[in-house]
């Protein structure tokens, strides 16, 4: 493995805006922060990043083009929405290439799978000359708001609030973006793209067949166009069927058209479809396809399959529509070998001509490869790929993509049981947090380790969720538009494949594949643990709880003195005079290769006080460990660049003026989270009932699965509570005057949004999913602890 991955002697680096330093490559593929001088970004005189032009004409879209051109000229936010395969991306590319630029230029960005932060960084990199610079969020906003661009974003999958946050950053620019569902963001002018007319469909089929339609074919194409709602992707498949020699299919043939087409394509094309179909919607470049298939013409083969609606093409590669992937994998009954996938991608990442931006473009494929390696019994190959790619993803400035890879790499390292690899990813996660300006949230090593542990778990869950979302997208079925992917989603790794047994005359699925785990209860109840039938080991962490007691209406008073006592079994923190106490158990996570002191510390929970009386706390690992007991550690001071991290801040620096928002946000948060705690306890009781009924069904005692309508309703109430908390935090973020307070609130908002998305994912499929709020609770604990400090408590 290359020592520096393209950055010899650590000469190539990335400068970050929240710490005075440079992220460089070195220390055996470990990213480090060194001292450096931040650049002064200079706006490029001509900003232009446009999609490549395509040889195929845009058929049947003249009226849509005129409508969109008028909208983009008159409005700052325009959305093109519609069913998968209807032609949104093709139309967006056409607009980007044909319309006049903004005053400062135009930028086309493929946003699929990217977060708001990574998209904002991409806009900055396109627009400013500041090599390898990662500005802080505040500095980034200051630069982007000066731009007057036309920004084209394809396949946006942001939650509504994240989309608002992104467009607010570049408030003087025009955004034109595509998505499958209509946006509800204020001021967005949403235009639905429908299918082709019958005349346009006939023109498209004729162009694909390279001949005029016969008189007897015209009415059949009209009928087929109506049957598929004019969806161009499905019309391409219809044309391919006619090109095979058997003529156009009938309407009755449409349900079996795709399997029939896959049988007719050649073996080379089937191999290509099998490879891309194994990647859960992630894309690969022609170079990867050639290397993985031992070919030199994979790009040409892929172009042919794109022409006939069996693959999708982007600016940088090809991906497989989910319905095609499902059909191919059902036929092959196996996925492309994960070990070969990992080895080939690792060699590509380590190659000297592979740039950081090349790696960033394919971050989803890297995540999928690492996940598949772990699940197929090759975790060390996944670790090797993640370790090789981590430094280059850091250099790409796409920090959320980098974090996602760290999450899956860390999970693979835990599965492999190699302590050194686990500590590598913890080190990189710590560096990432510091580079993002989150170091102030972790006051001591023990707390920092706990935050990192849970954050890596959440990042791993985001990658799994994205993979599941991509695989489930109904790209081949117009008329069933899917919801856009919400913001960061934490979904635990999928359970093992179902094991079926015959019972009572029918086939049942083993309980562990059907039973959800849902455990968020109030502090007033006993911890509720929904156990899997497969019997989790005793060291399984008890899911964390969130409880807020009532808060005072003002935070102007100073926080009462706090005393801490430490024993071999845990730490108890008491707020004298507040009438509340929070206890966190220190538990060690037993990694297969043995837990280091740092890894053991990662099981520590954090108790944090929001103002006076309001407490967020988390129950953690029940197994105590003397090695995890925290010792007295001086609080690192990261609020002043002139004071090195690890030094105690001077007295005059620890008492800043209190941001006025502190006096209003804490009582509002307390009320909202109290309601959440109450309603989540009710939902937890419904889960008990549902689990019991599912047990009976799985065991064959009952013949029908339980009704989940009550469960869904109560989970919906919890989601509503969390959205209310999100709204409170969002308003507070906008009102905050102190940058540290704003950062704390923003981190709390992110944790709340992740929890909301997790509940939403569970509500959509309670039979096969689970909710574990431990990582989100830990993140809120850390952010609220920092908020307490920054609010002058």
């Amino acid at each position: 493995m290359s020592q520096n991955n393209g950055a010899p002697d650590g000469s190539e680096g990335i400068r970050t805006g929240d710490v005075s330093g440079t992220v460089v490559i070195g220390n055996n593929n470990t990213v480090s922060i060194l001292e450096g001088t931040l650049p002064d970004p200079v706006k490029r005189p001509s900003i232009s990043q446009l999609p490549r032009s395509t040889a195929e004409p845009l058929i049947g879209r003249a009226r849509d083009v005129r409508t969109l051109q008028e909208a983009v000229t008159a409005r700052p936010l325009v959305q093109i929405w519609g069913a998968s395969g209807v032609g949104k991306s093709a139309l967006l590319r056409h607009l980007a290439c044909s319309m006049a630029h903004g005053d400062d230029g135009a930028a086309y960005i493929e946003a699929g799978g990217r977060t708001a932060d990574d998209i904002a960084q991409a806009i900055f990199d396109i627009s400013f000359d500041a090599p390898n610079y990662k500005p802080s969020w505040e500095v980034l906003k200051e630069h982007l708001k000066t731009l007057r661009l036309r920004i084209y974003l394809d396949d946006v999958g942001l939650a509504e609030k994240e989309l608002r946050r992104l467009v607010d950053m570049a408030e003087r620019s025009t955004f034109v973006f595509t998505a499958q569902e209509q946006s509800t963001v204020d001021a967005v002018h949403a235009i639905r793209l429908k299918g082709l007319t019958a005349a346009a469909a006939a023109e498209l089929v004729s162009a694909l067949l390279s001949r005029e339609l016969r008189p007897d074919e015209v009415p059949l194409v009209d009928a087929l166009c109506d049957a598929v709602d004019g969806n161009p992707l499905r019309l391409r498949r219809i044309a391919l069927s006619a090109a095979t020699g058997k003529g156009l299919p009938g309407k009755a043939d449409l349900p079996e058209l795709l399997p029939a087409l896959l049988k007719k394509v050649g073996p080379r094309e089937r191999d290509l479809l099998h490879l891309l179909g194994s990647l859960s919607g992630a894309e690969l470049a022609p170079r990867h396809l050639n290397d993985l298939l031992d070919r030199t013409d994979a790009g040409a083969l892929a172009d042919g399959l794109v022409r006939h609606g069996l693959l999708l093409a982007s600016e940088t590669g090809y991906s497989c529509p989910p319905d095609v992937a499902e059909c191919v994998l059902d036929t092959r009954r196996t996925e492309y070998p994960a070990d070969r996938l990992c080895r080939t991608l690792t060699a590509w990442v380590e190659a000297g001509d592979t740039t950081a931006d090349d790696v960033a473009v394919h971050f989803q494929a890297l995540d999928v490869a690492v996940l598949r390696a772990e699940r197929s019994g090759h975790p060390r190959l996944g670790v090797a790929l993640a370790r090789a790619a981590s430094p280059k993803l850091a250099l790409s400035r796409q920090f959320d993509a980098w974090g996602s890879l760290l999450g899956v790499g860390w999970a693979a390292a835990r599965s492999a049981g190699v302590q050194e690899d686990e500590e590598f990813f913890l080190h990189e996660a710590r560096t990432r947090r510091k580079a993002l300006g989150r170091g102030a949230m972790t006051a001591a090593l023990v707390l920092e380790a706990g935050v990192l542990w849970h954050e890596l778990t959440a990042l791993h869950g985001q990658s799994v969720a994205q993979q599941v979302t991509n695989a489930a997208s109904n790209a081949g079925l117009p008329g069933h538009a899917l919801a856009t992917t919400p913001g960061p989603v934490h979904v635990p790794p999928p359970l093992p494949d179902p094991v079926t047994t015959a019972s009572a005359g029918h086939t049942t699925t083993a309980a562990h594949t059907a039973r959800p785990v849902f455990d968020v209860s109030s502090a007033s109840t006993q911890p509720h643990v929904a156990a899997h039938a497969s019997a989790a080991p005793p060291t399984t962490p008890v899911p964390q709880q969130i409880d807020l007691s009532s808060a005072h209406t003002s935070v102007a008073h100073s926080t009462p003195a706090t005393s801490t006592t430490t024993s071999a079994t845990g730490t108890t923190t008491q707020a004298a005079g507040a009438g509340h106490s929070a206890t966190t158990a220190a538990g060690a996570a037993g990694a297969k290769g043995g837990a280091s002191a740092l890894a053991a510390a990662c099981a520590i929970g954090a108790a944090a006080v929001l103002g006076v009386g309001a407490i967020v706390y988390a129950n953690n690992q029940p197994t105590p460990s003397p090695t995890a007991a925290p010792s007295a550690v001086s609080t690192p001071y990261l609020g002043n660049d002139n004071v090195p991290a690890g030094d105690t801040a001077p007295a005059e620096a620890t008492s800043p003026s209190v941001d006025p928002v502190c006096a209003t946000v804490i009582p509002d948060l307390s009320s909202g989270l109290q309601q959440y705690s109450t309603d989540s306890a009710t939902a937890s009781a419904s889960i008990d009932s549902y689990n019991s009924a599912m047990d009976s069904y799985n065991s064959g005692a009952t013949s029908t699965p339980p009704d989940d309508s009550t469960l869904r309703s109560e989970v919906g109430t919890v989601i509503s509570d969390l959205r209310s908390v999100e709204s409170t935090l969002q308003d507070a973020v906008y009102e905050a005057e102190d940058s540290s307070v704003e950062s704390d609130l923003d981190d709390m908002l992110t944790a709340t949004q992740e929890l909301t998305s997790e509940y939403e994912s569970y509500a959509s499929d309670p039979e096969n999913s689970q909710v574990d709020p431990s990582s989100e609770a830990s993140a809120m604990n850390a952010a609220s602890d920092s908020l307490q400090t920054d609010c002058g408590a």
Side-chain angles (χ1 to χ4, degrees), residues 319-337:
S319 61
C320 189
D323 58 341
V324 176
E326 181 182 5
C327 192
V328 169
L329 295 178
D330 184 61
T331 301
R332 288 286 182 103
R333 298 186 180 279
T334 184
E335 292 182 307
Y336 186 90

Side-chain angles (χ1 to χ4, degrees), residues 26-358:
N27 190 22
N28 194 24
N29 287 346
T30 298
V31 179
S32 304
I33 294 181
L34 303 177
E35 291 302 317
T37 302
L38 298 181
D40 183 15
V42 178
K43 186 188 298 184
R44 301 183 194 278
S46 177
I47 302 171
S48 179
Q49 177 166 296
L50 300 177
R52 67 177 186 272
S53 59
T54 59
E56 285 193 355
L58 199 62
I59 295 175
R61 294 301 187 190
R63 178 179 297 179
D64 297 309
V65 169
R66 288 194 300 271
T67 300
L68 282 162
Q69 286 175 336
E70 292 172 0
V72 172
T73 301
R75 298 173 181 269
L77 299 175
V78 177
Q79 182 199 36
I80 308 169
W81 70 281
S84 297
V86 78
K88 302 183 296 295
S89 297
L91 188 53
L92 186 73
R93 291 190 188 102
H94 178 82
L95 290 173
C97 292
S98 63
M99 288 198 68
H101 294 181
D103 292 345
D104 289 327
Y108 173 88
I109 298 171
E110 291 182 328
R114 288 186 175 185
T115 64
D117 290 30
D118 282 358
I119 294 172
Q121 180 68 38
I123 296 171
F124 174 84
D125 290 338
I126 293 168
S127 306
F128 292 91
D129 185 12
N132 297 327
Y133 180 35
K134 176 72 176 177
S136 67
W137 185 257
E138 294 81 4
V139 174
L140 188 60
K141 184 175 182 179
E142 288 299 312
H143 286 298
L144 295 191
K145 74 180 183 180
T146 67
L147 299 174
R148 293 180 178 270
L149 293 173
R150 278 221 172 112
I151 301 171
Y152 299 88
L153 302 178
D154 191 24
D155 191 23
V156 172
L158 300 177
E160 300 297 341
K161 290 189 177 182
E162 285 294 286
L163 180 60
R164 288 191 189 98
R165 192 162 72 107
L166 176 64
V167 300
D168 284 350
M169 291 189 71
E171 57 190 20
R172 302 171 72 188
S173 294
T174 297
F175 284 84
V176 190
F177 64 97
T178 67
Q180 288 187 5
E181 276 203 347
Q182 182 177 0
S183 174
T184 59
V185 172
D186 297 340
V188 169
H189 183 62
I191 298 175
R192 183 178 183 181
L193 185 62
K194 299 181 180 180
L196 299 177
T197 63
E203 184 181 353
L204 175 61
V205 173
S206 176
L208 292 170
L209 292 176
S210 301
R211 64 173 176 81
E212 294 292 327
L213 293 179
R214 299 190 304 269
D216 63 307
E217 291 177 323
V218 174
L220 182 53
V221 170
D222 287 351
L224 290 169
C225 176
D226 182 65
V228 299
D229 296 327
N231 186 279
L233 188 72
R234 300 189 72 186
L235 288 168
R236 288 178 178 275
R237 297 172 185 176
I238 288 170
L240 175 60
S241 178
T244 59
K246 291 189 176 182
L248 291 167
K251 291 177 65 174
D253 300 323
L254 290 179
E256 296 301 321
L257 178 61
L258 185 55
L261 289 178
L262 295 178
K263 290 179 181 178
K264 293 175 183 177
V265 299
R268 298 178 303 167
E269 287 83 358
R270 285 197 292 272
D271 288 343
L272 178 54
L273 292 170
H274 178 235
L275 166 59
L276 289 173
S278 302
L279 296 181
S280 303
E283 70 174 37
L284 291 176
R287 170 177 177 174
H288 306 139
L289 301 178
N290 284 331
D291 290 344
L292 289 163
L293 297 173
D294 292 327
R295 305 198 61 82
T296 58
D297 60 349
L301 290 177
D303 286 335
L305 293 170
V306 169
R307 178 177 172 80
H308 293 295
L310 297 179
L311 285 182
L312 303 174
S314 72
E315 292 297 291
T316 53
Y318 303 91
S319 61
C320 189
D323 58 341
V324 176
E326 181 182 5
C327 192
V328 169
L329 295 178
D330 184 61
T331 301
R332 288 286 182 103
R333 298 186 180 279
T334 184
E335 292 182 307
Y336 186 90
D339 54 345
R340 183 171 182 182
L341 181 64
C342 277
R343 289 190 177 97
T344 302
L345 290 178
T346 301
W348 167 71
V349 167
E350 292 180 331
D353 61 344
T354 301
T355 68
D357 291 341
D358 290 337

Side-chain angles (χ1 to χ4, degrees), residues 518-535:
F518 181 112
D519 192 2
V520 184
S521 53
S522 66
S524 60
T525 62
Q526 292 297 321
H528 163 83
V529 181
H532 289 289
S534 54

